Amino acid sequence: HGGETLMRPLSFYKKAMELQKKYARVIKLFAEKEHLSLDDALDFFYHSLTYRLISEGVSDLHCMSDDYLAEELRIEYQNAKK
């Protein structure tokens, strides 16, 4: 460490917080659609392809509506149950 600051710009943290809020809304919608507990929905979400694609910024999925992402998650969940 050469003495430079390790802090990132405030905008980085603001975007990260907004994304976390989006995750919470999507998980809640997904839980409601599938009649899951929030814990079960959270567990599935963080192990899902949908989460990985959103977090990696693939195809700007993070820009899609909460309902759209919850539906994508629901479809992934239904396919995993087969």
Side-chain angles (χ1 to χ4, degrees):
H1 185 292
E4 68 278 357
T5 181
L6 295 177
M7 293 189 60
R8 296 179 186 234
L10 189 55
S11 61
F12 170 84
Y13 297 104
K14 184 176 179 183
K15 288 177 187 173
M17 289 290 292
E18 290 302 317
L19 194 54
Q20 290 299 318
K21 289 177 187 176
K22 183 170 199 69
Y23 291 163
R25 292 189 307 267
V26 169
I27 291 164
K28 184 174 183 281
L29 284 170
F30 168 60
E32 290 169 358
K33 287 174 183 264
E34 285 298 317
H35 307 287
L36 297 172
S37 70
L38 287 175
D39 284 343
D40 287 343
L42 181 72
D43 183 59
F44 184 81
F45 176 74
Y46 280 111
H47 292 95
S48 70
L49 175 61
T50 302
Y51 167 71
R52 193 169 74 225
L53 294 175
I54 295 169
S55 66
E56 292 174 359
V58 174
S59 300
D60 289 333
L61 275 178
H62 63 283
C63 296
M64 302 304 285
S65 73
D66 297 348
D67 197 53
Y68 175 88
L69 293 173
E71 183 62 17
E72 286 295 307
L73 200 57
R74 191 191 69 73
I75 292 166
E76 185 177 346
Y77 181 75
Q78 289 297 320
N79 287 336
K81 286 177 34 176
K82 291 180 182 178

